[in-house]
Amino acid sequence: MENNDGKKPQTDEARLAELGYRQELSRVMTLFENFSIAFCYLSPVVGIYSLYALSLGTAGPAFIWLIPVVVIGQLFVALIFGELGSSYPIAGALFQWSKRLMGTGYGWWVGWMYGWALIITVASVDTGVPSYFADLINNLFGTHLNGTSPNTILLISTLYLVGQTLFNVYGVRFLGSISRIGTWFEVLGTVGLAIILIAFTTHHSLGYLFTTQGTTHLKSSPLGVNFGGNWWAGAALIAVLGPVYIFYGFESAGDVAEEVVNASRHVPRAMISALIFGGIVSMILVGALSLAIPSGPKGFALAATQGVPAILQSAISAKFFQDLILFVICFAFFSCGLAVQGAGARLVFSYARDRAVPGHRVLRRISPRRKTPVAAILLAAVIPELLSLLVHYTPSKPIHIGFITYPAHVNALSALVSFGVSGIYISFQMVVLAYLIARIRGWRPEGPFQLGKWSYPVAILGLIYGVGMIVNIVAPTGLTSPRGALFNFDWLTLLVDAIIVVIGALYFAFGRPNRAIRAADKERRVEATKDDTSAATTD
């Protein structure tokens, strides 16, 4: 087997050494395990069960046709990432890729935005499961846990986070095994549930999936918002944010590249297949859920306001199946948070190895026994736990900060969820832009996965899609508009973005991480030269 240039392929360790790093992590992950981590992070179950009501209530059952729009848009990005992951199979993927394409400072900023988005995503995933977990415990043991109580949310999310941290610390082989199981639970929670719904509780014909059910008009909108009758130019722009929240995470296959066997070939395949498969199963589940909505305006309004639980409660009466579905959902949330935390920890480790973060001497350490970055994993647990404390903050009155208003009765975690999406998209597009500029300057890929003549059109289309979606996510349109009322709360997403940027700018100005990265790279090159000289002398 040969590369595209006719040369025999290098070993994983040799390629990593050529890129300036020693093999410290345990390289045991198979292609399916690499795919599973990406797929569990992407997690159609978590995304659909969390945001189905938002998309259904704004655009009606027809929102299902927005899923291919997002999947195709992200596929352009995934193809670029596949080429970069094949060329640079290094932990902390986005940071490392952009560092090599555009320089240390630019790479540091990509990692900064991406890292905060990962950390916030861990908190949003783990605080999203308590209502399902509480229902499962109440059904099994006859308890009366309130899954919407701040104390219950914090307790359950903390238990999840502790479990995820222990599993991540235990070793990458264990992470891969849990992710494998999580993949099958994802399939059961999507395709399996869809089969049951289609077989026993379909209330509509396929034509129902092309209807809006009056969501574009204030009078008939179940969410009480007005799009003036506009679907594509109004309702669809909000409804698409549900799929947008689902279809990222495929890049985590590259975050753990140093633990993957034959990473230059397996990482691109894992990323692209996770995205495509995720799109297919999401379409199947969303279609089945929409067809299972009880007939009539009341049935639709209930589904649009209470989401998937309302549909399942009316569709499946058998207690055993209800509990089984709840268990599948709870495990899917666990495996999703586990994968996100694992990706975040590898980014922290990669940062620390390049001296790009405070406390790098501790954060770069690898457990001799487990071969995992324990300190980095713990950091990826402590920060989400601190963020989870925000669940206790829900102002009863609007808070005015200059021209920005924090609305009443909106929990602080809600503002962070929208940043998690925007932070991911911003960092993604920074990488795509760096790739396009590097290509124009003459950079060429070095791995076996290459786009060839398609690199420019793919990058341009990916950039157009991503920038357009960033604008759609963050655009402040007022608290009385559908977007401001339902998703980004007018200026709040941009405010969180600005806070993250300001903190980063202060550290970048005074900590000079770009200089530290260059110094670390220089030292590694000197050490590599000494090793080569020593080896030649021995020979």
Side-chain angles (χ1 to χ4, degrees):
M1 185 168 57
E2 296 183 344
N3 288 321
N4 292 350
D5 57 6
K7 297 179 181 179
K8 291 184 178 180
Q10 296 173 299
T11 64
D12 292 310
E13 291 76 9
R15 177 55 179 156
L16 189 59
E18 187 176 81
L19 294 170
Y21 300 99
R22 293 184 295 109
Q23 183 70 52
E24 298 178 89
L25 301 169
S26 183
R27 194 180 290 276
V28 295
M29 203 175 292
T30 65
L31 171 60
F32 185 68
E33 289 170 334
N34 193 217
F35 160 83
S36 295
I37 286 177
F39 187 65
C40 286
Y41 179 172
L42 185 146
S43 188
V45 168
V46 171
I48 293 171
Y49 284 67
S50 297
L51 291 173
Y52 175 81
L54 171 70
S55 296
L56 181 72
T58 52
F63 94 85
I64 187 174
W65 307 112
L66 297 174
I67 293 176
V69 173
V70 178
V71 172
I72 293 170
Q74 287 291 65
L75 182 59
F76 295 130
V77 177
L79 289 168
I80 297 298
F81 285 9
E83 191 169 75
L84 292 172
S86 182
S87 297
Y88 307 122
I90 317 174
L94 274 68
F95 158 60
Q96 292 285 352
W97 301 341
S98 51
K99 181 183 89 172
R100 284 166 166 75
L101 294 174
M102 286 284 285
T104 57
Y106 190 90
W108 184 89
W109 272 108
V110 171
W112 178 258
M113 299 301 293
Y114 179 58
W116 277 107
L118 286 175
I119 294 298
I120 288 171
T121 300
V122 174
S124 68
V125 169
D126 285 351
T127 55
V129 72
S131 60
Y132 294 108
F133 189 86
D135 286 346
L136 178 61
I137 296 300
N138 291 339
N139 289 349
L140 293 178
F141 302 104
T143 54
H144 301 282
L145 286 174
N146 180 4
T148 61
S149 164
N151 288 332
T152 303
I153 292 173
L154 189 59
L155 172 62
I156 294 173
S157 65
T158 300
L159 290 175
Y160 261 58
L161 190 55
V162 169
Q164 290 157 351
T165 303
L166 291 175
F167 287 167
N168 266 312
V169 167
Y170 192 79
V172 69
R173 190 179 292 275
F174 203 61
L175 169 63
S177 297
I178 295 297
S179 297
R180 272 203 317 269
I181 298 171
T183 295
W184 293 115
F185 272 75
E186 289 279 348
V187 173
L188 183 60
T190 52
V191 178
L193 177 60
I195 291 173
I196 295 173
L197 292 175
I198 292 171
F200 300 107
T201 58
T202 298
H203 295 290
H204 309 277
S205 66
L206 288 176
Y208 186 72
L209 299 179
F210 294 88
T211 67
T212 66
Q213 296 300 301
T215 55
T216 60
H217 299 280
L218 179 61
K219 186 176 180 180
S220 52
S221 168
L223 300 182
V225 294
N226 185 22
F227 294 102
N230 294 318
W231 195 84
W232 278 110
L237 294 178
I238 310 301
V240 76
L241 296 174
V244 162
Y245 181 79
I246 300 173
F247 297 109
Y248 62 86
F250 53 85
E251 80 288 347
S252 60
D255 287 319
V256 296
E258 289 181 35
E259 294 152 286
V260 178
V261 177
N262 201 4
S264 290
R265 295 184 181 277
H266 287 171
V267 166
R269 293 174 61 187
M271 285 194 284
I272 295 167
S273 58
L275 177 61
I276 294 174
F277 187 60
I280 292 171
V281 300
S282 295
M283 288 281 288
I284 293 172
L285 177 58
V286 167
L289 285 170
S290 295
L291 295 178
I293 295 173
S295 301
K298 289 185 178 180
F300 177 76
L302 190 66
T305 53
Q306 298 185 23
V308 176
I311 298 174
L312 297 183
Q313 190 172 8
S314 64
I316 301 175
S317 58
K319 184 177 180 299
F320 170 77
F321 282 109
Q322 289 180 351
D323 292 345
L324 177 62
I325 292 169
L326 285 172
F327 178 74
V328 169
I329 295 170
C330 291
F331 192 91
F333 270 84
F334 182 84
S335 60
C336 176
L338 180 74
V340 181
Q341 187 194 47
R346 270 62 182 185
L347 173 62
V348 172
F349 164 73
S350 187
Y351 247 34
R353 186 171 55 182
D354 278 10
R355 305 176 191 172
V357 66
H360 59 84
R361 289 184 178 84
V362 175
L363 294 173
R364 62 130 17 251
R365 291 177 185 169
I366 300 295
S367 167
R369 182 180 179 186
R370 299 297 176 192
K371 297 296 183 181
T372 53
V374 176
I377 293 170
L378 292 177
L379 182 66
V382 171
I383 297 179
E385 179 65 13
L386 293 175
L387 293 175
S388 298
L389 295 175
L390 293 173
V391 74
H392 283 284
Y393 182 69
T394 305
S396 58
K397 297 180 180 179
I399 298 174
H400 301 285
I401 310 169
F403 62 89
I404 298 173
T405 299
Y406 190 105
H409 310 300
V410 172
N411 187 263
L413 276 176
S414 300
L416 290 181
V417 170
S418 60
F419 165 76
V421 179
S422 66
I424 289 287
Y425 266 70
I426 289 170
S427 56
F428 276 22
Q429 296 316 305
M430 289 179 73
V431 174
V432 176
L433 178 61
Y435 172 88
L436 187 57
I437 293 174
R439 272 284 193 174
I440 293 172
R441 289 175 174 175
W443 177 87
R444 292 296 178 264
E446 304 172 30
F449 180 84
Q450 299 187 13
L451 296 176
K453 64 181 180 180
W454 294 103
S455 59
Y456 286 105
V458 167
I460 292 170
L461 290 171
L463 197 62
I464 292 172
Y465 163 78
V467 171
M469 202 55 69
I470 290 171
V471 173
N472 187 37
I473 292 168
V474 305
T477 52
L479 289 172
T480 58
S481 74
R483 182 184 288 104
L486 299 174
F487 187 77
N488 66 5
F489 310 109
D490 197 20
W491 287 92
L492 283 191
T493 297
L494 274 176
L495 177 62
V496 177
D497 285 342
I499 291 172
I500 298 297
V501 169
V502 168
I503 294 173
L506 290 173
Y507 178 68
F508 192 84
F510 295 102
R512 302 285 185 172
N514 55 324
R515 293 183 180 180
I517 296 171
R518 285 198 295 268
D521 286 343
K522 183 178 179 180
E523 285 187 17
R524 280 191 293 268
R525 286 194 297 270
V526 170
E527 290 177 4
T529 302
K530 290 180 179 178
D531 291 341
D532 291 343
T533 303
S534 176
T537 302
T538 302
D539 292 341

